Amino acid sequence: EPEVTQTPSHQVTQMGQEVILRCVPISNHLYFYWYRQILGQKVEFLVSFYNNEISEKSEIFDDQFSVERPDGSNFTLKIRSTKLEDSAMYFCANKRETGTDTQYFGPGTRLTVL
Amino acid sequence: AQSVTQPDIHITVSEGASLELRCNYSYGATPYLFWYVQSPGQGLQLLLKYFSGDTLVQGIKGFEAEFKRSQSSFNLRKPSVHWSDAAEYFCAVHGNTPLVFGKGTRLSVIA
């Protein structure tokens, strides 16, 4: 069964540094998402992306965050200037069709900001 | 806006015992409901989903869930728990926005 992959599995960075989290979605999937899970808390929606543009974003997704598909396959989440509170598990998800199709999640990237 | 409540933060069951994890949702229309499982250090794996039709849905690993509109619930059940079922379980609802998750229920299994 096709899988969503994410790199790196763990990223440690200093506060104020930029990080880029990468996701390789399942091929022929068209809808992409990023979610965040702070340790011990629930999974929270960050942003959805379709047709090379953001379709929806949460209040968490402020100007420090950006997403893109630079080469048509990888889907990236960039945090420009990391803060301590950005430490979390970041999950990429994607689905083939709109509406009720299932979202498939990657294994996550654990981001630690020191 | 939709929301999900999982009232139980942590549940411990004996191996072989039955299991029920509770999930209540809030959404004005017919929701699309999901249960995901997260093993330590792993991503979220879909156990089952409800979109329409039969209110009792079967999933992977022997899990099932029942949608009860009158109670706004979508409880997850398994008749006989295995030690490998120890994990975090998340209920999620998809309405007019992307998935909204509950806070999760951590399941521990004892011998």
Side-chain angles (χ1 to χ4, degrees):
Chain A
E1 182 176 305
E3 290 183 342
V4 180
T5 59
Q6 291 185 241
T7 56
S9 57
H10 190 190
Q11 172 100 41
V12 181
T13 189
Q14 296 291 324
M15 189 169 56
Q17 294 297 304
E18 174 184 285
V19 295
I20 298 177
L21 310 183
R22 292 181 170 80
C23 170
V24 179
I26 298 170
S27 64
N28 81 350
H29 281 208
L30 303 176
Y31 297 83
F32 309 99
Y33 307 83
W34 283 101
Y35 291 83
R36 179 182 81 175
Q37 183 184 28
I38 295 173
L39 186 64
Q41 299 187 24
K42 64 180 178 180
V43 178
E44 301 172 290
F45 166 73
L46 291 178
V47 65
S48 59
F49 189 85
Y50 169 71
N51 200 25
N52 284 321
E53 60 182 29
I54 291 173
S55 46
E56 189 168 357
K57 60 183 181 179
S58 73
E59 58 189 23
I60 302 170
F61 194 88
D62 61 22
D63 292 343
Q64 293 297 316
F65 292 89
S66 63
V67 290
E68 63 176 359
R69 289 191 79 200
D71 56 9
S73 59
N74 293 304
F75 178 49
T76 64
L77 174 69
K78 181 191 291 186
I79 308 175
R80 290 189 183 82
S81 179
T82 51
K83 304 185 287 288
L84 294 177
E85 53 265 37
D86 293 328
S87 295
M89 195 79 164
Y90 288 82
F91 293 104
C92 167
N94 52 98
K95 66 180 183 181
R96 189 178 60 236
E97 300 172 351
T98 189
T100 61
D101 199 17
T102 299
Q103 289 186 33
Y104 292 89
F105 283 78
T109 292
R110 180 167 298 285
L111 176 64
T112 302
V113 182
L114 303 177
Chain B
Q2 61 258 34
S3 66
V4 176
T5 302
Q6 292 181 249
D8 305 303
I9 297 173
H10 184 201
I11 285 181
T12 300
V13 299
S14 299
E15 191 170 15
S18 64
L19 169 71
E20 182 169 30
L21 303 182
R22 295 183 290 167
C23 171
N24 292 99
Y25 68 89
S26 173
Y27 182 59
T30 299
Y32 303 118
L33 297 159
F34 304 80
W35 275 99
Y36 284 86
V37 61
Q38 184 183 29
S39 298
Q42 303 296 311
L44 297 164
Q45 181 182 24
L46 180 69
L47 282 176
L48 47 76
K49 59 188 178 184
Y50 170 79
F51 290 160
S52 64
D54 193 346
T55 56
L56 184 64
V57 292
Q58 303 296 320
I60 62 171
K61 304 184 180 186
F63 285 92
E64 66 178 26
E66 186 171 13
F67 170 60
K68 292 185 178 181
R69 184 188 301 275
S70 61
Q71 299 177 18
S72 297
S73 69
F74 188 57
N75 294 347
L76 182 71
R77 300 193 294 248
K78 186 170 185 177
S80 178
V81 169
H82 188 263
W83 64 267
S84 60
D85 293 325
E88 188 95 15
Y89 290 80
F90 293 93
C91 181
V93 60
H94 174 44
N96 54 0
T97 59
L99 287 175
V100 172
F101 287 84
K103 290 188 176 182
T105 297
R106 184 160 62 92
L107 174 66
S108 296
V109 181
I110 58 176

